[in-house]
Amino acid sequence: MEKVLKPMSGYLALVICLVLLGASGYLFIIGVDENITFVILAIACFLLSCFFMKGLMIIQPNHSRVLNFFGKYVGSVKDNGLFFINPLYSSQKMSLRSENLQGQTLKVNDKMGNPIEIAVVMVWKVGDTYKAAFDVERYSDFVKMQSEAAVRHLAMSFPYDNLEDDHAPITLREGGEKINSILEQELTDRLSKAGIIIQEARISHLAYASEIAGAMLQRQQATAIVAARTKIVEGAVGMVDLALKKLSEENIVELDDERKAAMVSNLMVVLCGEKAAQPILNAGTLYN
């Protein structure tokens, strides 16, 4: 479990180190000419100054130090500045800054078995220095491997779109923020054991694999054409019905069933045709 330490300021220790260094130089100069004892004292002052200097550490903003004492975890320092700790402590530097991870494009099968390409981008940082330092071997490699596993699991849990699964509540292509939220939760669950905090995760690339991309594009185009034609036919039928009712209500012309059928046929051709209709003058009658 992480334990945050508040070490003493290092400015006093720095002054003591400088004084010892100055005294060491002064005693060495005196001892060379007068007494060997001063030389010994100079060496002692120098070694003591080096010992105190080992306890000085500078922590930059958004950085930390994990402290150990002969293999035993002592605590973590997250404040920034100049500090003095026990010189016998060993320390491990650890960044607390946010980092971006652009995952590589993975080829996986979606829920329906279709091969797709997917990649994510995520923003993460170290939240628990103890877990990051001691619960995993190298937390940066752990983040990369577990993020890839999370993306694969996400892709296999949902269909790419609803072409094959009409009742799918969520799809990878149309899921939007819901899919990103599920991805963030998946990453948080996997990386919490390493003390990693997921700040944001989003799908950066999503497409069918190259071997089926062409066929799926044709299928999507056919579906769009059918949907458009359905709307056109529904609108044309409504307009024909409205035209017949208007002609009947306002007594503009009386049409028998055969004339109504001809009118409906002509209107449907005009309204549903892809090209503009060309008018034809009929010099006779419907029956001649």
Side-chain angles (χ1 to χ4, degrees):
M1 183 176 181
E2 183 183 59
K3 181 169 60 176
V4 179
L5 293 181
K6 300 289 185 181
M8 63 178 293
S9 175
Y11 291 101
L12 178 60
L14 178 62
V15 172
I16 294 175
C17 290
L18 295 176
V19 171
L20 288 174
L21 280 177
S24 174
Y26 177 73
L27 292 173
F28 184 80
I29 293 173
I30 295 178
V32 170
D33 297 331
E34 297 183 6
N35 193 339
I36 192 64
T37 304
F38 291 108
V39 176
I40 296 175
L41 289 175
I43 295 174
C45 288
F46 178 77
L47 294 176
L48 188 60
S49 173
C50 292
F51 181 73
F52 275 99
M53 282 188 176
K54 189 177 182 300
L56 293 173
M57 66 177 184
I58 299 175
I59 301 180
Q60 303 294 338
N62 282 328
H63 283 74
S64 66
R65 294 287 185 91
V66 180
L67 305 179
N68 294 284
F69 183 66
F70 294 108
K72 182 180 179 180
Y73 173 68
V74 176
S76 302
V77 181
K78 292 187 174 181
D79 294 335
N80 51 73
L82 178 64
F83 301 102
F84 178 75
I85 59 173
N86 188 334
L88 298 179
Y89 287 168
S90 61
S91 64
Q92 175 183 349
K93 294 181 180 180
M94 190 168 294
S95 173
L96 301 179
R97 293 177 294 184
S98 298
E99 298 189 38
N100 280 319
L101 175 63
Q102 175 64 59
Q104 61 179 344
T105 301
L106 305 175
K107 181 182 290 186
V108 297
N109 293 332
D110 68 354
K111 186 179 180 181
M112 308 307 297
N114 298 316
I116 63 173
E117 295 178 350
I118 186 172
V120 300
V121 59
M122 54 182 284
V123 182
W124 62 277
K125 69 176 184 177
V126 175
D128 190 316
T129 56
Y130 176 84
K131 291 182 178 180
F134 301 113
D135 285 358
V136 294
E137 184 65 26
R138 286 182 294 273
Y139 67 89
S140 57
D141 293 341
F142 186 81
V143 170
K144 294 178 181 178
M145 296 301 296
Q146 289 301 316
S147 61
E148 180 177 327
V151 173
R152 290 183 180 276
H153 183 263
L154 177 75
M156 293 186 294
S157 300
F158 300 97
Y160 179 87
D161 53 27
N162 54 8
L163 288 178
E164 296 184 8
D165 188 359
D166 296 335
H167 304 290
I170 302 176
T171 63
L172 296 173
R173 187 165 65 92
E174 299 178 353
E177 292 298 326
K178 182 64 176 178
I179 285 292
N180 292 331
S181 177
I182 295 173
L183 176 61
E184 288 182 14
Q185 186 60 47
E186 177 82 11
L187 290 169
T188 298
D189 295 340
R190 288 176 177 270
L191 298 177
S192 59
K193 64 182 64 177
I196 303 300
I197 297 175
I198 301 299
Q199 297 176 300
E200 185 181 8
R202 293 183 176 277
I203 295 177
S204 59
H205 174 76
L206 181 64
Y208 280 113
S210 57
E211 57 266 26
I212 67 167
M216 287 301 179
L217 178 60
Q218 292 179 353
R219 183 173 182 176
Q220 291 174 353
Q221 290 174 342
T223 302
I225 291 173
V226 170
R229 287 295 179 187
T230 301
K231 290 293 184 182
I232 291 173
V233 171
E234 290 178 356
V237 170
M239 293 175 68
V240 170
D241 182 60
L242 179 61
L244 292 175
K245 287 181 179 179
K246 280 288 186 180
L247 290 174
S248 177
E249 290 175 357
E250 298 183 8
N251 294 320
I252 297 175
V253 64
E254 291 185 3
L255 302 174
D256 57 18
D257 291 340
E258 190 171 354
R259 287 188 172 88
K260 286 182 180 180
M263 179 180 176
V264 169
S265 176
N266 292 333
L267 285 175
M268 291 297 292
V269 170
V270 171
L271 295 174
C272 297
E274 293 184 359
K275 298 181 180 179
Q278 295 182 354
I280 298 176
L281 295 177
N282 185 5
T285 65
L286 182 64
Y287 303 103
N288 294 317

